[in-house]
Amino acid sequence: MQQAGSPPATGLFSRIDFGHGAVAAISGGSDSTALLILLKNHFDRFLPSARLIAVTVDHALRPASAGEAQAVAGLCARLGIAHRIVVWEGTKPSTGIPAAARAARYRLLADIARREGLDIVVTGHTADDQAETVLMRQARDEGPGLAGMAPATLLEGDVWILRPLLTERRSALRGLLTASGLEWIDDPTNLDHAFERPRARAKLAEDENRLEGLLAIASRAAHQREELSRGGAVLIDRHASRLAPGLIHLAPAFVTEADQPAALHALRVLLAVVGGTPFLPDNDRVVGLFALLSAGVGRATLSRTVIDVRRAGIFLHREARGLPAPSTPSDGTLWDGRYRITFGDDADGCVIAPFGRERGRATLVPEGGEAPASLFRAAHAAAPAVWRDGICLGSPGESGQLPGAVAVPVAAPFTRFLSGFDLEVAHAVSVLVGAASIPTSPMRTPAVPKASANA
């Protein structure tokens, strides 16, 4: 990590494959402005044919924000960098503004990237931001979250959010701007102690030595999280199989694996994916569930997933409660957290709804005795079906006279944000359920380099 006041490291972007170019998020603050200068220098020297597009998100939360966005536009014009301004429109929430603004910002940045045919958005998060993040998550007792922000995060399956300045101190970036004769905008919100991050920033300002300790915590936690992801992926590959859509089998040997932390993690991921929940179930509850698994017989429900333990192994399927009501989803709708539904032009009057128990009882059970017929039927009853005028036409994607509807499985906890720390287990479970493949990370080296601030 760079020491406070030392210049930014050379080769900051050497590990990144920018492909055709990137979107650079710039608010006008010191961090994002320095990022843009560094990116321009890199693109000018090494990627002259690649496109660099600066984007300012005007959150429209302060009267001055529109003028600040125009000031950034002027800077980009002087530097010869293409620039876009996008506004967060609509009614703003009365609470949870920072989280809502962050979600809107990522969405708007990703939309611009897609529109421009790019798949990379670069942000100016620094080592100071990382330390603040860890401090806030410590206060919330978020164990896995102590890894902080990952250098690379996949957003909604197709746009990478890269944070190449996580090894850099804010003071070093401001020194770069001062030496270049460039100014930056200080957002007054960063001093408003009504919000969590400014309070964390103020605490760190009182004790600079604390920052190094927080970054060390992030380094250890990131390494542990990657190891857990790797171990979980190995066990999913070794023991898990998909017997039918929505029905997963774990071999009996799964519960005897020596690496129990990896087994617990793999099970938590599988429960969330089968149940379609965006968060992993509580670790302590899964620890308790292992006692049932070890007994070799029993039945439980967790994270909307039925866990049916038999001599032949462990079977997982979506429980019957809480399934979506019949609906006409828009194209690309996420159904029950488990399937992405797309409709063709001939789907007028059709809705998506579960098959239900009656249709499930009519399921043709595969031969071979891999699982009891009742489990195939239960999984099928909770699967999406195309209905018209109260008549079930069949599964989306079936051949024949069905409208052009397709249901593609998704890995629920990684659908919106997939941290680079979790890539291996996300890949393993995506292959298992038949989800869309995860695009290759543009980071050429492991997501957490040993020399980095959040390694």
Side-chain angles (χ1 to χ4, degrees), residues 305-327:
T305 298
V306 174
I307 305 98
D308 199 315
V309 187
R310 308 193 181 212
R311 292 181 181 178
I314 303 154
F315 299 91
L316 310 175
H317 64 83
R318 172 70 161 92
E319 69 172 327
R321 293 182 299 174
L323 290 166
S327 62

Side-chain angles (χ1 to χ4, degrees), residues 144-145 147-148 220-229 419 421-422:
R220 291 191 297 271
H223 177 72
Q224 292 167 358
R225 186 161 157 185
E226 283 198 309
E227 286 297 309
L228 205 58
S229 173
S419 165
F421 302 138
D422 302 323

Side-chain angles (χ1 to χ4, degrees), residues 69-81:
Q70 290 299 327
V72 174
L75 171 65
C76 290
R78 294 194 297 274
L79 295 172
I81 300 173

Side-chain angles (χ1 to χ4, degrees), residues 368-393:
E370 293 179 287
S374 60
L375 297 182
F376 281 100
R377 291 177 179 133
H380 189 66
V386 180
W387 294 73
R388 178 183 279 155
D389 298 328
I391 299 173
C392 182
L393 304 181

Side-chain angles (χ1 to χ4, degrees), residues 49 77 101 118 125 142 158 235 241 281 296 303 384 399 407 430 439:
S49 62
L118 301 174
H125 293 101
E142 294 183 16
D158 63 348
L235 297 188
S241 59
S303 286
S399 60
S430 294

